Amino acid sequence: MVIFTLLLRALKPLSWLITWLVETVLVVWRLAKARVHLIILGAKFPGPPAFPLFGNLLAVFCGDSEALTKYIDYIWNKYGNLHRSYIGPVLVVTTGRHQDHEKLLASNDYLNKGLIYFFMKPWLGDGLLMSSGEKWHSRRKMLTPAFHFKILDQFVPVFNSNGEEFIRQLRKRADGRAFDIWPLCKLLTLDVICETIMGVRVNAQTISNSPYVTAVNEISAIIYNRGMRPWEYPPFIFRFTKLGRRHQECLDILHSTTEKVIRERRTELEKISEGKTLDVDELGRRRRVAFLDLLLLIARDGSLSDADIREEVDTFMFEGHDTTAAAISFTVFLLSRHPAVQEKVLEELDSIFDTSKPLDPTIHELSELKYLDMVIKESLRIFPPVGAVSRQITSDFRLASSPLTVPSGAMLFLTFHLLHRDPEVFPEPNEFDPQRFAPEETVRRHPFAYLPFSAGSRNCIGQRFAMLELKSVLAKLIWNFRILPAPDFEPILVWEIITKSKNGIFVRLEERSRKKMG
Ligand code: HEM
């Protein structure tokens, strides 16, 4: 018996070793099997040759955003609107076909964002854009009422008043000479988003050296540049690089500002007596409710911590200003080339508004601007500010447009840019023609053929907000100015976090003589 016990004791470490070895072999076997599965299925897609480990990184990442965009264009032209590439070892399948967009976006099984969003995490945390699973689901449910008609109605005066400042800024440049309107659009949309989301006026259009404004503008560029430098991907390396240090400085400014605003807003809210609603004149100076107020109200029952509130505020700040700035500036560019479309918008404005008064539209009047709506939609088709979205494929996904399957572990890119330029759906896709969005044309099209705000349960929560802001600003612009093309200007499109023009958006403005106000 003693000998038997001793033998058992002697064998125990050995049995652990054997168990450990078997488990390791099993894990490696499963990983290898998944990898082989991924490579075999990936190889069925057309795409450029890829190097082991680096994939197509060398071609994609060794240049600036223009070089990256040219490479993407090259792949699209050569391999069509369904192809594959490799970012390092990660298989990326890209589709621009509406059948695939529909199948993926209509499904609730593929809601997790692609790895590419990882670089935004330090700023946005696990806010609505980045989160997944139950957290995303409950937040989305919680935040949807913040974009209810009654709340948007209160935001319209914010769009209008900041739009007026925009017109004042533009008036200084309306001397017939070409200028870049993009930076002005960015400052305008930053003013709008700070006031609607945080309830704070930063006056970015008039005070251009605010540290917060500078940090917001800089961090998107830093996030993008990091994406172009694979050696700076690991956080423990990135923090010691020049870019990483500036990233940290921006984060400190952004997070501390949001935290300060949250504290101040909470103190104001605490002053409001119990049982009273926020849309009455209870906030002292401010009558308008901000998105943050709604979060603070929700937080009263303990369902949101301060950190949760901060990540949502930061997310909405990020999502809600560069996108709208791109949309405004590209629409202005297209209008500069299409004087007849401008005149048609002006006719519509004249038919609704009193031409002797400054333009100060209500939410109802904005919804009456049907032709302007078509113009904006056509602009978002040609230049979708979010050119693509990506999803992490967690179980094999059989495409709808072809018999091919995107394997588990791959990243699937749905490219709205390709989708919107499908000549079978949009004949002469590069031509600007707002008539494509006449109601009778829209009903004839596949519902997933046009998706500037994405679709399905992870679509843009700020879509109606964005359309109202765009309408308010563009209506004011056309009401006040004739937009003329800048000689010899052609935008150089680049796919950064949003779709941008590398060389800005140059136009000329001429003040309309019949109106001098608003
Ligand atoms: C023209 C302007 C805009 C465009 C083209 C646009 C487009 C999009 C797209 C395509 C998505 C899906 C992203 C993805 O799946 O990864 C999205 C998501 C989102 N957008 Fe927008 N957006 C715009 C304006 C806004 C505004 C003004 C706000 C807020 C005020 C906003 C807030 C968000 C948020 C929070 C999400 C994440 C939703 C979720 O995952 O549940 N967006 N947007």
Side-chain angles (χ1 to χ4, degrees):
M1 190 64 195
V2 176
I3 293 174
F4 185 67
T5 314
L6 283 175
L7 197 65
L8 260 186
R9 265 197 207 146
L11 282 178
K12 210 168 180 186
L14 197 64
S15 74
W16 282 348
L17 187 69
I18 291 169
T19 315
W20 179 81
L21 270 177
V22 170
E23 276 176 7
T24 309
V25 168
L26 278 177
V27 169
V28 172
W29 166 249
R30 272 191 221 114
L31 287 175
K33 214 170 123 198
R35 186 75 198 155
V36 169
H37 177 69
L38 182 127
I39 289 170
I40 291 175
L41 290 191
K44 298 191 175 176
F45 289 86
F51 292 98
L53 206 65
F54 289 99
N56 302 104
L57 265 186
L58 297 176
V60 176
F61 286 94
C62 285
D64 61 2
S65 58
E66 193 181 343
L68 167 70
T69 308
K70 278 195 178 140
Y71 185 66
I72 295 175
D73 273 347
Y74 158 78
I75 301 184
W76 287 349
N77 289 331
K78 182 147 187 199
Y79 300 100
N81 64 0
L82 177 64
H83 59 257
R84 63 112 192 97
S85 54
Y86 278 90
I87 299 183
V90 180
L91 171 66
V92 175
V93 173
T94 301
T95 174
R97 300 181 179 177
H98 62 77
Q99 300 92 327
D100 302 328
H101 284 69
E102 176 173 23
K103 189 166 177 192
L104 191 101
L105 295 173
S107 154
N108 277 335
D109 297 334
Y110 300 94
L111 296 179
N112 293 357
K113 297 295 172 81
L115 295 171
I116 208 98
Y117 294 71
F118 164 78
F119 303 121
M120 297 185 211
K121 211 135 189 150
W123 179 20
L124 307 183
D126 239 352
L128 197 62
L129 180 72
M130 311 286 292
S131 58
S132 54
E134 188 39 43
K135 179 167 181 180
W136 168 78
H137 195 260
S138 65
R139 287 280 174 90
R140 178 87 191 200
K141 217 167 135 196
M142 200 183 273
L143 298 177
T144 297
F147 290 88
H148 185 272
F149 180 86
K150 270 173 86 177
I151 308 283
L152 293 177
D153 187 29
Q154 299 191 45
F155 289 164
V156 171
V158 180
F159 303 153
N160 288 340
S161 61
N162 287 297
E164 267 161 41
E165 184 53 52
F166 184 55
I167 298 301
R168 274 194 287 279
Q169 296 297 326
L170 291 180
R171 204 159 270 147
K172 295 180 198 161
R173 281 131 179 122
D175 55 5
R177 277 184 297 175
F179 70 99
D180 183 6
I181 201 168
W182 161 246
L184 302 177
C185 294
K186 262 190 85 118
L187 295 176
L188 157 73
T189 56
L190 199 54
D191 271 345
V192 167
I193 207 75
C194 286
E195 200 171 336
T196 48
I197 299 300
M198 300 199 286
V200 170
R201 288 191 192 148
V202 292
N203 299 320
Q205 296 185 87
T206 46
I207 310 167
S208 55
N209 58 355
S210 131
Y212 183 77
V213 173
T214 313
V216 171
N217 279 333
E218 245 182 87
I219 197 150
S220 297
I222 295 174
I223 291 171
Y224 173 77
N225 284 327
R226 184 179 180 195
M228 302 281 278
R229 302 171 187 198
W231 57 93
E232 296 196 18
Y233 286 2
F236 58 90
I237 294 179
F238 182 58
R239 59 196 289 215
F240 295 112
T241 63
K242 195 172 162 213
L243 204 65
R245 283 195 296 273
R246 185 60 197 143
H247 181 252
Q248 191 52 51
E249 282 164 17
C250 289
L251 281 184
D252 292 343
I253 296 171
L254 294 170
H255 286 160
S256 62
T257 309
T258 317
E259 281 158 11
K260 183 166 165 275
V261 172
I262 293 172
R263 277 197 304 276
E264 288 172 359
R265 235 21 219 191
R266 173 173 286 128
T267 313
E268 275 183 47
L269 266 187
E270 278 162 6
K271 289 185 196 149
I272 297 172
S273 54
E274 288 250 317
K276 300 250 175 101
T277 55
L278 279 174
D279 50 346
V280 292
D281 189 14
E282 287 280 355
L283 284 177
R285 256 180 327 122
R286 297 187 190 90
R287 277 170 179 270
R288 291 171 198 140
V289 67
F291 173 75
L292 172 57
D293 296 324
L294 302 167
L295 295 185
L296 289 168
L297 280 183
I298 296 168
R300 281 183 173 173
D301 68 3
S303 43
L304 286 176
S305 68
D306 272 10
D308 294 337
I309 296 177
R310 193 191 76 190
E311 63 191 15
E312 291 307 346
V313 169
D314 288 340
T315 295
F316 281 80
M317 289 294 305
F318 164 72
E319 272 290 315
H321 86 281
D322 259 8
T323 45
T324 40
I328 294 169
S329 59
F330 279 120
T331 311
V332 170
F333 165 71
L334 288 165
L335 287 171
S336 75
R337 305 276 171 108
H338 295 88
V341 174
Q342 280 183 63
E343 289 313 307
K344 234 177 136 178
V345 175
L346 192 66
E347 266 171 40
E348 183 176 60
L349 295 175
D350 284 351
S351 72
I352 294 174
F353 300 102
D354 181 343
T355 53
S356 64
K357 289 188 180 157
L359 196 70
D360 193 22
T362 62
I363 195 165
H364 294 289
E365 287 165 337
L366 289 177
S367 61
E368 280 176 53
L369 297 172
K370 306 281 184 221
Y371 186 67
L372 181 57
D373 195 75
M374 287 159 58
V375 169
I376 295 170
K377 284 180 175 155
E378 173 67 343
S379 161
L380 294 174
R381 180 188 70 80
I382 298 185
F383 299 115
V386 178
V389 296
S390 80
R391 294 288 185 272
Q392 203 54 44
I393 298 302
T394 43
S395 58
D396 285 3
F397 177 73
R398 179 93 195 264
L399 290 169
S401 73
S402 96
L404 296 176
T405 294
V406 184
S408 171
M411 209 166 28
L412 181 57
F413 265 84
L414 303 176
T415 48
F416 304 143
H417 177 79
L418 281 180
L419 179 78
H420 292 177
R421 294 193 188 211
D422 182 341
E424 290 196 2
V425 182
F426 298 104
E428 297 194 62
N430 298 329
E431 291 305 310
F432 175 68
D433 178 10
Q435 227 33 55
R436 299 182 206 264
F437 289 92
E440 64 279 11
E441 293 293 324
T442 308
V443 290
R444 262 190 252 147
R445 254 190 317 266
H446 190 281
F448 282 73
Y450 172 72
L451 301 171
F453 296 100
S454 190
S457 47
R458 284 214 90 151
N459 71 348
C460 176
I461 197 171
Q463 172 169 353
R464 287 195 301 156
F465 176 117
M467 285 304 285
L468 288 170
E469 179 181 353
L470 296 180
K471 277 185 173 179
S472 157
V473 170
L474 289 163
K476 275 177 180 288
L477 221 157
I478 296 166
W479 183 260
N480 284 281
F481 304 105
R482 189 167 287 113
I483 310 165
L484 304 167
D488 305 324
F489 172 73
E490 245 346 290
I492 302 173
L493 272 200
V494 286
W495 315 112
E496 294 189 1
I497 297 178
I498 55 151
T499 308
K500 276 167 71 167
S501 165
K502 192 185 173 192
N503 52 341
I505 296 285
F506 280 80
V507 291
R508 290 179 299 134
L509 293 182
E510 203 179 83
E511 194 145 1
R512 292 190 190 274
S513 53
R514 61 190 192 89
K515 296 186 188 78
K516 285 281 171 205
M517 294 185 292

